[in-house]
Each structure stands twice: as structure tokens, then as C-alpha cells.
């Protein structure tokens, strides 16, 4: 048996156990969303597998850099996570806190810079003494600053079910409320690498339906599947702003992470770390393919594709992802006229209409705060 076959067997067994346990029927009523248990703080963190002990002791010589984040920045992220662990916050809370500090200070313990735009803001979270967060000396202590952030987050009603940027904004009251979203992939990566965890890091605001599927982004469908005007358009375009988190539509294995952007004039590589062009560029830009099991279904496995990402995706080939996990952020790389997500669904090697498919799996595409009820397949 191949490694991939073993992996799919594990996924299938876990799915059966979840279904047989009644978990899905208990938390999904009429198509409404529920927040996974891993998004909540356990009553006793030391005794709960949803918030396991993690070793964040700084190694001799400090933490190694991770991606573009320096040893100092990674060390500050580790401090934030350690405080979250001690306070019994779930892993999703650690991601929110680290992403917030990325936006506010680039994970650097900043003194007041004397900039009128910063007022009297200091520290990792740029908290203000004049707003009652504490003294300058206290807020320059990363442990104290992280503690104050988690205390404030925990007091936000329903934070577990909010998108990251909304939860962060509820604490920070920033003049740029949407700025936190773009840091979610990096924060997820840092938390995962520092703790070794993957479960519980995904976006708890994702509306995962009773069949295990969710919208990759919440947006109206623009250009459709193989229309008369675009007969070779093998997916649908979902119009979202640049930097919008993109979610895995279902659990599965990442089979491709690629930059595909070609200059049609020369045949040379256009590059994906810049916007593409609807005339001069062909290709999907930065994109991800995820393979999903389709036990007993026709046509073999299901593959979903996510195109035109802004930066290199936050996942790697061979990685197992869960429904709702952030895999990258939207952009306009490759053959694109503006920021959006091009989303495809393939049954085996055959592209199929994502709108009809997502309707069948109870995760209809569209701008729904809560997807409408759907009729489960007979025998499902």
C-alpha cells in the first residue's frame, strides 16, 4: 500500500468516526455553522488534548529564523504563544495574537517612536498607556503585553467564531481594521513550526457544512464556468479584495503548489510576486491543488484548485489540510485583470462546474453569513 493510500485510509477512518459519533449532526442544524471544539479554551488545559503542552524554551543561541522572520521576531512569537498556553487559550487564539503583533510591530518590541500617528503606543501590540493598558515599562515586557492582549481577546463575546481580522480589531480598535488578515498565513506557519501543531489553527469562522465542505472565500460568483464568452474557463471567479484569506474547501492533501505565470510575448517567466495582466500573461499565478477523498463516488478523487494568490501559498506539497484552513491570500498573479480567487473543482481529470458541485455538498458559493439549509443526499 502506498503512503498516499495509507494517508487516505486514515482520513477516511477519522471521517467515519466523526460521522458515527454524531458530531456533525450535533453541531450542524439546518446548514448553520458551528465552531469546532478546538477553537475554544479547554476547562483544564493541562489535561486536554486540544491544547497540549508545547516546549517553547529558547534554544542555546536563540530561535532559528523562520521564513522572513528573524530569530528575534520568532522568539517574540514564541513568548506570545507561551503566554497563550499558560492562560489556557486555544491554538486559534495564539494565531490571532501572533498575527496581531505582526501587523502592529512586525513582532518587534518597539519603544515609542515619537511618531504622531503612533501616539504613545509601545511594545509588541503597540498598546497605549493612555488607553489604560498599563505603564510604558509594563507594556515593554512581552509577557505582560501578551497577557493583556489575551485577557482582552477572551472578553470579546464570540471571538472564536470571528474571522481573524475581526477578532483582532475587537481588541485593538485600529484605524486599519482589515490590515490583520494578510498576516494569517504567516502567523499560522510560525505557530505550527514552533509548536508542531496543525489542528486548531484554521479559521474558526469558516462555515463548514454537514458534508465537510466550506466556501473558499465569501463572495459572489463573477465569471462563470465555461460560459459562451469564455468556453475554456474551467472554474469560477470569486471577487474579493487583495489579501483576503483563502480557505481549503474541504480536508485533503496538498498535491501542487506552483507559480504559473508566463509572458505571452516572449514565453519567459513573468513571475508571481507581482500582478499579472489579462492580455500579456497566461497561467494561474500562485496556485494550490488539494486532493480530497471521494469514497465510492464516480470519477475517482476530487481536486480543488485555488489560483491568482498574492504571495507564495502557506502550504506545502504533501501537507494534510483541514476544511477551513487558510492556505494563502488572494491577489492578482498570472492571467488576471484584478484581485479575485479563481476556483476550480475537478472530478478525476475532468473539470466540473464549482457552483453546482458546491451546492450538492451543502457549501453553496455566494455571500452568505450563514449558508442556507440544504438537502443531504439520500443515504448520506
Amino acid at each position: 500500500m502506498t503512503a498516499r493510500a495509507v494517508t487516505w485510509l486514515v482520513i477516511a477512518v477519522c471521517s467515519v468516526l466523526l460521522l458515527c459519533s454524531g458530531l456533525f449532526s450535533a453541531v450542524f442544524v439546518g446548514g448553520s455553522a458551528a465552531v469546532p471544539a478546538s477553537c475554544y479554551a479547554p476547562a483544564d488545559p493541562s489535561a486536554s488534548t486540544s491544547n497540549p503542552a508545547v516546549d517553547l524554551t529558547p534554544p542555546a543561541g536563540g530561535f532559528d529564523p523562520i521564513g522572513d522572520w528573524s530569530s528575534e521576531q520568532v522568539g517574540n512569537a514564541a513568548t506570545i504563544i507561551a503566554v497563550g498556553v499558560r492562560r489556557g487559550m486555544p491554538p486559534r487564539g495564539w494565531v490571532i495574537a501572533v498575527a496581531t503583533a505582526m501587523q502592529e510591530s512586525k513582532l518587534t518590541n518597539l519603544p515609542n517612536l515619537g511618531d504622531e500617528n503612533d501616539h504613545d503606543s509601545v511594545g509588541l501590540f503597540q498598546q497605549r498607556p493612555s488607553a489604560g493598558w498599563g505603564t510604558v515599562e509594563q507594556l515593554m515586557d512581552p509577557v505582560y503585553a501578551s497577557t493583556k492582549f489575551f485577557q482582552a481577546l477572551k472578553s470579546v463575546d464570540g471571538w472564536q467564531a470571528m474571522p481573524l481580522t475581526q477578532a483582532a480589531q475587537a481588541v485593538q480598535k485600529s484605524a486599519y481594521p482589515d490590515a490583520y488578515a494578510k498576516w494569517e498565513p504567516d502567523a499560522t506557519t510560525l505557530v505550527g513550526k514552533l509548536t508542531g501543531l496543525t489542528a486548531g489553527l484554521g479559521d474558526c469562522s469558516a462555515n463548514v457544512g454537514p458534508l465537510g465542505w466550506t466556501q473558499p472565500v465569501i463572495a459572489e460568483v463573477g465569471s462563470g464556468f465555461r460560459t459562451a464568452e469564455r468556453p475554456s474557463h474551467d472554474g469560477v471567479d470569486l471577487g474579493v479584495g487583495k489579501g483576503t484569506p483563502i480557505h481549503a474547501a474541504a480536508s485533503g492533501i496538498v498535491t501542487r503548489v506552483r507559480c504559473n505565470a508566463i509572458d505571452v510575448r516572449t514565453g519567459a517567466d513573468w513571475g508571481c510576486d507581482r500582478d499579472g495582466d489579462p492580455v500579456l500573461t497566461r497561467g494561474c499565478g500562485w496556485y494550490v491543488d488539494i486532493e480530497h477523498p471521494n469514497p465510492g463516488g464516480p470519477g475517482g478523487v476530487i481536486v480543488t484548485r485555488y489560483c491568482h494568490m498574492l504571495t507564495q501559498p502557506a502550504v506545502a506539497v504533501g501537507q494534510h489540510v483541514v476544511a477551513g484552513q487558510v492556505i494563502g491570500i488572494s491577489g492578482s498573479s498570472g492571467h488576471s485583470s484584478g484581485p479575485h480567487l479563481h476556483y476550480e473543482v475537478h472530478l478525476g481529470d475532468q473539470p466540473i462546474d464549482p457552483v453546482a458541485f458546491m451546492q450538492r455538498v451543502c457549501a453553496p458559493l455566494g455571500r452568505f453569513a450563514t449558508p442556507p439549509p440544504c438537502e443531504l443526499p439520500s443515504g448520506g
Side-chain angles (χ1 to χ4, degrees):
M1 184 177 290
T2 67
R4 177 165 293 178
V6 171
T7 303
W8 281 129
L9 178 61
V10 172
I11 293 172
V13 169
C14 291
S15 299
V16 170
L17 290 175
L18 285 171
L19 288 167
C20 292
S21 70
L23 176 61
F24 283 110
S25 60
V27 298
F28 292 100
V29 180
S32 62
V35 181
S38 60
C39 296
Y40 289 96
D44 179 6
S46 63
S48 172
T49 56
S50 66
N51 200 3
V54 293
D55 183 9
L56 294 166
T57 305
F63 289 95
D64 290 333
I66 296 177
D68 294 331
W69 301 95
S70 69
S71 175
E72 177 188 358
Q73 292 167 312
V74 172
N76 285 327
T79 297
I80 293 170
I81 298 167
V83 172
V85 172
R86 287 200 297 271
R87 296 201 61 82
M89 296 296 286
R92 179 62 182 167
W94 314 342
V95 173
I96 293 171
V98 170
T100 302
M102 286 176 169
Q103 168 60 25
E104 297 293 351
S105 69
K106 300 297 191 292
L107 282 175
T108 303
N109 198 28
L110 295 174
N112 184 259
L113 302 177
D115 185 337
E116 63 179 13
N117 294 321
D118 290 330
H119 304 285
D120 55 342
S121 303
V122 296
L124 289 176
F125 296 92
Q126 289 293 280
Q127 294 150 327
R128 299 175 59 190
S130 63
W133 287 95
T135 66
V136 171
E137 182 179 6
Q138 287 173 325
L139 295 175
M140 286 299 294
D141 175 2
V143 172
Y144 176 91
S146 301
T147 299
K148 296 297 286 186
F149 179 87
F150 283 119
Q151 286 175 340
L153 179 64
K154 198 169 185 177
S155 71
V156 175
D157 186 34
W159 70 266
Q160 299 94 333
M162 294 178 180
L164 182 147
T165 196
Q166 186 178 340
Q169 173 64 5
V171 173
Q172 298 294 108
K173 308 296 192 294
S174 169
Y176 306 97
D178 299 324
Y180 303 102
K182 65 178 178 286
W183 299 109
E184 185 161 359
D186 272 18
T188 302
T189 296
L190 254 62
V191 171
K193 288 186 178 296
L194 283 167
T195 65
L197 301 179
T198 56
L201 305 184
D203 185 352
C204 298
S205 70
N207 289 309
V208 181
L211 297 181
W213 287 77
T214 187
Q215 298 163 285
V217 295
I218 298 175
E220 298 297 338
V221 176
S223 184
F225 176 76
R226 293 187 174 178
T227 61
E229 296 79 12
R230 303 181 70 186
S232 61
H233 193 232
D234 287 340
V236 294
D237 291 343
L238 302 168
V240 289
K242 186 175 287 188
T244 300
I246 298 169
H247 307 93
S251 298
I253 296 173
V254 177
T255 56
R256 183 172 296 172
V257 175
R258 184 183 174 197
C259 166
N260 177 25
I262 304 298
D263 190 324
V264 298
R265 298 165 297 183
T266 64
D269 182 23
W270 176 279
C272 290
D273 292 323
R274 60 171 176 150
D275 287 348
D277 186 277
V279 176
L280 302 179
T281 316
R282 71 171 185 269
C284 236
W286 279 120
Y287 77 99
V288 170
D289 284 356
I290 301 175
E291 188 175 287
H292 314 276
N294 186 28
V301 297
I302 297 167
V303 175
T304 53
R305 176 168 294 173
Y306 313 77
C307 295
H308 307 310
M309 293 188 186
L310 180 65
T311 59
Q312 183 171 343
V315 291
V317 172
Q319 180 177 341
H320 174 242
V321 295
V322 297
Q325 181 171 334
V326 175
I327 60 174
I329 54 178
S330 63
S332 191
S333 57
H335 179 73
S336 173
S337 58
H340 69 285
L341 170 65
H342 173 87
Y343 176 60
E344 296 182 11
V345 178
H346 296 243
L347 186 57
D349 295 329
Q350 181 64 39
I352 59 176
D353 184 353
V355 172
F357 174 82
M358 296 298 283
Q359 183 68 44
R360 288 198 300 273
V361 296
C362 298
L365 299 174
R367 197 173 294 279
F368 305 112
T370 299
C374 71
E375 183 176 343
L376 296 179
S378 60

